[in-house]
Amino acid sequence: MIKEIFQLNKKYKNAWLWTDNKPARSLGVGFEASIHEYILKWYNTKDASTYPLMKDISLLYVEQYPSDVIACNDAGLSAMLTDDLRTAKKYFAQGYELDPADMLLLRNLARVCYHLGETESAYSYYSILAESEDPDDREYAEQILSTYFNQDE
């Protein structure tokens, strides 16, 4: 059903109508936020059987909204959960390119690079994260650098 809704969303260019065919202009929550909420609910179940569906929907989401950093993170996360690390990296990198200040995307990008064996890239991303204004991000990155890269920051 959700896949068909994506087809309709694409067909009508994100212009939704009420049942009387009048434009739905101020719904309060947009299509993108609603899709993200569905994906988040599947993720929060921690039920691995939902991850392939989560991935399918996330890929449709990022296809229709390629400049949405949340869509990029959802696509990357769902790819990572299905052990598709190359696809995860693609979408985390896409999101990070769109918003270099998004530390969650940077954290995810660093992690997936590390698991792909791309240690120089991972080190670089964790080093950037270690310079974050957020003390939790800094502490996390410093711990990773110290533990996995033998670097005391």
Side-chain angles (χ1 to χ4, degrees):
M1 176 88 145
I2 294 174
K3 290 179 181 181
E4 286 127 10
I5 293 170
F6 268 102
Q7 290 173 344
L8 289 172
N9 188 58
K10 190 174 187 177
K11 178 179 178 181
Y12 294 112
K13 299 179 178 139
N14 206 26
W16 289 89
L17 304 174
W18 292 109
T19 55
D20 61 1
N21 285 330
K22 291 185 180 174
R25 291 206 167 91
S26 59
L27 298 175
V29 175
F31 180 72
E32 308 96 273
S34 296
I35 293 301
H36 172 67
E37 289 299 318
Y38 274 111
I39 293 166
L40 189 58
K41 285 180 191 286
W42 289 319
Y43 174 73
N44 286 332
T45 68
K46 305 296 183 205
D47 178 356
S49 71
T50 66
Y51 297 160
L53 178 59
M54 184 178 151
K55 182 180 177 188
D56 289 346
I57 299 306
S58 295
L59 293 176
L60 288 170
Y61 178 22
V62 78
E63 175 188 311
Q64 286 192 23
Y65 300 95
S67 62
D68 184 327
V69 295
I70 294 172
C72 293
N73 194 59
D74 285 351
L77 181 62
S78 63
M80 193 166 64
L81 292 171
T82 57
D83 294 321
D84 185 356
L85 298 183
R86 294 269 170 224
T87 299
K89 180 185 175 192
K90 172 186 172 182
Y91 289 112
F92 290 144
Q94 180 178 324
Y96 181 64
E97 185 176 310
L98 291 167
D99 184 2
D102 189 317
M103 294 295 106
L104 178 60
L105 278 164
L106 181 60
R107 198 185 269 224
N108 288 337
L109 180 57
R111 178 181 300 141
V112 81
C113 285
Y114 183 81
H115 288 290
L116 284 169
E118 298 174 7
T119 53
E120 287 182 28
S121 293
Y123 177 81
S124 175
Y125 293 132
Y126 281 122
S127 295
I128 295 168
L129 190 62
E131 300 297 319
S132 170
E133 293 178 11
D134 183 296
D136 292 335
D137 287 330
R138 276 196 317 269
E139 182 181 340
Y140 170 79
E142 289 167 357
Q143 181 64 40
I144 294 291
L145 289 168
S146 172
T147 303
Y148 296 104
F149 297 96
N150 295 321
Q151 297 289 316
D152 290 321
E153 295 293 312

